[in-house]
């Protein structure tokens, strides 16, 4: 039985959806009132619909009472996208997690928005199918609806970004109307309504169902990892691999982040990862041989590298995948890179959705990224500006034990994602204790609250966002962290404001997100 003592206006919502769908337990409200980085205003209550009809009815009942509604997917974001400025009804979509239709004839799949990327992968992979963009590394928790709202990429990044891959949405608007945005056959069907609701961070509506295209899984894979002594050569090679479209996935680390990953991920001894990788090789003896290579490589193969690139090439045949990897090797060689053991991409591809233990540092430190996607021609200058910023604050960072590195990821052929990542000693939040595996959490240090270190991280994040602004970068999961109005055409901002007014005239759908 739900408790309604916090606000009698909840009675109307309970009348519409039933008491089982409304949660007001203080511990649950505290947990859902935070994201990976920030603590927000405690929600008025949680609404956990188990059908799209109930979602629409609950949203309509809430907004009729003047209660703001805020959608939450898997909760893995860190830009305050679902942290409202005032007590609101937080819509937890985890109960809308069904895979509604897998259609291998028309090559499409329809899911409810709370379905995780990992669950979809597990349903499609045995059929030899996947979606073109098939999730982020946090996909064991992150939801498909959240990805469509926040945008992002990792798996399948050669083909673009997650939010750009959808064929159509069913969206619940602020008044409870269910809007279907387009055709499940081809996008766009007329003006692109699906694109309008993509990457909106829930400002325009709550995605209830998502239809995605299907492709057939690659028949063969090839892997390559490479080390570079200097960032200019690393950037040049990364960009050329992306422009040539040779890698289905390509990602890299700077020395600091590389060292953090090696400390956190004992790739040579993690039994689950190793068994998964061996199974993925196809054939007992091949798996045994590759497993032995991983164990022999250990974690020392990147000790001397300053920057690294890790690549995966897909092909219809092994010869085709190997040919693409040979072309990658030629690009790397032309830039003075050297090949190292391909343990990281091989193990990662075999275990694409690992536990989200990396939301804490290898010793239990707090963790938060900040990112921007720039043109290839501006990638090196952006990295150099960020390095200069860190150098200018080196004394402060060392005094407060704030570490920073960065990850790199090409975005299709046109973009270069740079993601600085901060680690600092600070107290864990309820979300970390909820999401990190208990056995892993038990091995970590529990730090005390550290406001000075967090304040420095916040200052440096803001400075990096300003650097990205000067470089005309774009961002994923804008939430309440990245500016939009200042970065888009003024006429486009006015149009977006008018759309917001049309679909949410009272401003009750995730108010404040995107600056709307």
């Amino acid at each position: 039985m739900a408790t309604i003592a916090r606000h009698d206006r909840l009675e109307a919502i309970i009348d519409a959806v039933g008491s089982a769908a409304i949660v007001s337990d203080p511990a649950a409200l505290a947990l859902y009132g935070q994201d990976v980085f920030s603590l927000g205003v405690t929600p008025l209550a949680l609404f956990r619909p188990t059908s799209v009809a109930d979602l629409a009815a609950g949203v309509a009942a809430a907004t009729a009472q003047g209660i703001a509604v805020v959608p939450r997917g898997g909760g893995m974001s860190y830009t305050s996208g679902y942290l409202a400025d005032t007590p609101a009804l937080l819509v937890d979509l985890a109960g809308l997690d069904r895979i509604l239709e897998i259609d291998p004839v028309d090559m499409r799949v329809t899911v409810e928005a709370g379905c995780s990327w990992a669950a979809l992968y597990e349903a499609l992979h045995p059929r030899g199918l996947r979606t073109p963009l098939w999730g982020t590394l946090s996909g064991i928790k992150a939801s498909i609806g959240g990805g469509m709202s926040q945008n992002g990429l990792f798996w399948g990044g050669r083909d673009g970004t997650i939010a750009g891959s959808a064929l159509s949405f069913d969206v619940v608007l602020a008044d409870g109307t269910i809007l279907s945005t387009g055709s499940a056959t081809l996008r766009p069907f007329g003006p692109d309504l699906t694109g309008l609701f993509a990457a909106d961070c829930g400002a325009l509506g709550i995605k209830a169902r998502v239809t995605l295209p299907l492709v057939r899984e690659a028949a063969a894979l090839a892997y390559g990892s490479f080390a570079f002594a200097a960032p200019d050569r690393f950037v040049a090679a990364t960009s050329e691999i992306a422009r040539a479209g040779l890698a289905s996935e390509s990602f890299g680390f700077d020395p600091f982040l590389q060292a953090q990953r090696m400390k956190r991920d004992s790739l040579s001894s993690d039994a689950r990862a190793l068994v998964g990788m061996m199974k993925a090789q196809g054939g007992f003896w091949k798996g045994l041989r590759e497993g032995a290579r991983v164990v022999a490589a250990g974690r020392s193969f990147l000790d001397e590298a300053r920057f690294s690139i890790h690549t995966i090439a897909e092909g219809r045949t092994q010869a085709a995948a190997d040919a693409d990897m040979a072309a990658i090797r030629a690009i790397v060689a032309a830039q003075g890179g050297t090949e190292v053991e391909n343990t990281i991409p091989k193990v990662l591809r075999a275990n694409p959705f690992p536990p989200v233990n990396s939301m804490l540092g290898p010793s239990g430190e707090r963790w938060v990224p900040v990112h921007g996607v720039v043109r290839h021609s501006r990638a090196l200058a952006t990295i150099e500006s960020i390095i200069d910023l860190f150098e200018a604050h080196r004394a402060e960072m060392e005094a407060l034990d704030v570490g920073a590195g960065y990850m790199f990821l090409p975005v299709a052929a046109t973009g270069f994602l740079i993601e600085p990542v901060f680690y600092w000693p600070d107290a864990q939040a309820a979300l970390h204790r909820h999401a990190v595996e208990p056995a892993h959490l038990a091995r970590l240090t529990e730090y005390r609250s550290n406001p000075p270190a967090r304040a420095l991280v916040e200052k440096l994040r803001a400075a990096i966002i300003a650097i990205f602004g000067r470089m005309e970068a774009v961002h994923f999961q804008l939430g309440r962290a990245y500016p939009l109005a200042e970065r888009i055409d003024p006429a486009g901002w006015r149009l977006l404001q008018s759309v917001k007014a049309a679909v949410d005239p009272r401003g009750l759908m995730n108010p404040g997100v995107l600056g709307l």
Side-chain angles (χ1 to χ4, degrees):
M1 180 67 67
T3 302
I4 61 174
R6 287 181 60 85
H7 209 301
D8 57 10
R9 288 183 297 170
L10 292 177
E11 292 180 352
I13 306 173
I14 292 171
D15 288 344
V17 299
S19 61
I22 303 299
V23 177
S24 58
D25 172 67
L29 297 183
L31 172 63
Y32 283 78
Q34 57 191 253
D35 68 5
V36 174
F37 183 52
S38 301
L39 301 179
V41 174
T42 301
L44 181 66
L46 306 182
F47 171 34
R48 289 176 169 160
T50 55
S51 72
V52 175
D54 279 352
L55 171 61
V59 168
T63 56
Q65 296 294 315
I67 298 172
V69 293
V70 176
R72 181 188 187 272
M76 292 294 99
S77 59
Y78 43 82
T79 55
S80 301
Y82 57 83
L83 302 183
D85 299 325
T86 57
L89 183 71
L90 188 79
V91 184
D92 175 15
L93 292 165
L96 289 176
D97 62 353
R98 288 172 284 271
I99 298 171
L100 300 174
E101 181 184 20
I102 298 173
D103 185 345
V105 175
D106 292 328
M107 294 296 280
R108 63 189 187 184
V109 58
T110 300
V111 301
E112 292 178 331
C115 179
S116 72
W117 289 104
L120 181 59
Y121 172 81
E122 289 165 4
L124 294 176
H125 185 63
R127 303 169 185 243
L129 299 171
R130 64 171 173 82
T131 55
L133 279 293
W134 49 287
T136 58
L137 288 177
S138 58
I140 195 169
K141 298 282 188 181
S143 70
I144 294 169
M148 296 301 146
S149 292
Q150 302 276 18
N151 208 1
L153 83 161
F154 190 84
W155 296 114
R158 175 175 57 187
D159 294 323
T161 66
I162 283 171
S165 67
L167 290 172
S168 64
F169 301 136
D170 288 342
V171 181
V172 174
L173 302 182
D175 65 356
T177 299
I178 301 174
L179 168 69
S180 294
T181 64
S183 167
T185 302
L186 189 67
R187 173 183 164 196
F189 177 45
D192 190 12
L193 293 182
T194 299
L196 183 64
F197 285 89
D200 73 329
C201 294
L204 303 181
I206 300 177
K207 289 156 196 68
R209 288 182 284 255
V210 180
T211 297
L212 297 162
L214 292 174
V215 298
R216 289 179 177 163
E217 280 273 25
L221 300 168
Y223 307 90
S225 291
F226 310 94
F228 294 80
D232 59 336
R233 297 302 185 95
F234 166 88
V235 168
T238 299
S239 292
E240 184 55 26
I241 292 167
R243 286 189 290 260
L246 294 167
S248 55
E249 290 84 27
S250 176
F251 54 97
F253 307 111
D254 85 309
F256 177 87
L257 198 57
Q258 198 161 265
Q260 296 295 95
R261 182 175 182 85
M262 291 302 176
K263 284 192 288 184
R264 183 182 68 239
D265 297 337
S266 54
L267 296 174
S268 64
S269 61
D270 185 327
R272 287 176 303 177
L274 189 60
V275 169
M277 185 279 293
M278 291 169 69
K279 287 180 178 178
Q281 300 309 304
F284 175 79
W285 291 112
K286 184 178 181 183
L288 190 64
R289 184 171 62 250
E290 292 299 328
R293 285 184 60 192
V294 168
V295 172
R299 288 180 287 163
S300 62
F301 59 91
L302 284 170
D303 283 352
E304 303 303 320
R306 293 191 60 197
F307 292 83
S308 65
I309 301 176
H310 308 279
T311 59
I312 303 169
E314 296 182 337
R316 291 188 176 90
T317 65
Q318 191 61 55
D322 290 343
D324 281 347
M325 190 54 63
I328 290 172
R329 290 190 180 98
I331 291 170
V332 168
Q335 295 300 331
T338 58
E339 189 161 7
V340 297
E341 285 292 338
N342 56 17
T343 299
I344 289 176
K346 190 175 292 181
V347 171
L348 196 58
R349 178 65 183 241
N351 304 272
F353 302 112
V356 293
N357 298 336
S358 58
M359 64 194 297
L360 289 170
S363 297
E365 307 95 326
R366 289 293 294 270
W367 163 93
V368 71
V370 59
H371 77 274
V373 182
V374 299
R375 303 171 209 166
H376 291 289
S377 60
R378 296 187 176 181
L380 183 59
T382 305
I383 292 168
E384 290 173 339
S385 295
I386 294 170
I387 292 172
D388 289 344
L389 175 72
F390 291 158
E391 285 296 316
H393 292 84
R394 176 186 286 189
E396 289 178 87
M397 293 173 72
E398 290 180 350
L400 293 169
D401 202 17
V402 173
Y406 24 98
M407 179 179 177
F408 310 94
L409 196 69
V411 183
T414 58
F416 194 112
L417 183 145
I418 302 166
E419 184 172 84
V421 177
F422 294 95
Y423 295 88
W424 74 101
D426 202 350
Q428 300 164 5
L431 182 59
H432 300 101
R433 295 187 289 273
H434 175 75
V436 173
E437 290 181 305
H440 180 80
L441 193 66
R443 295 193 293 267
L444 302 179
T445 301
E446 291 191 38
Y447 292 99
R448 295 179 179 179
S449 179
N450 193 345
R454 181 186 173 93
L456 177 59
V457 170
E458 290 175 339
K459 181 173 76 171
L460 293 173
R461 284 183 89 216
I464 290 171
I465 291 172
I467 290 171
F468 282 133
R470 294 194 293 272
M471 296 296 178
E472 298 183 317
V474 298
H475 305 279
F476 305 134
Q477 57 165 297
L478 278 74
R480 293 169 173 82
Y482 298 108
L484 182 61
E486 299 93 322
R487 302 278 184 87
I488 66 172
D489 182 87
W493 178 249
R494 291 193 294 272
L495 178 59
L496 183 58
Q497 288 178 306
S498 68
V499 171
K500 172 71 169 176
V503 298
D504 181 22
R506 299 175 66 190
L508 295 174
M509 180 61 69
N510 204 359
V513 78
L514 301 187
L516 289 167

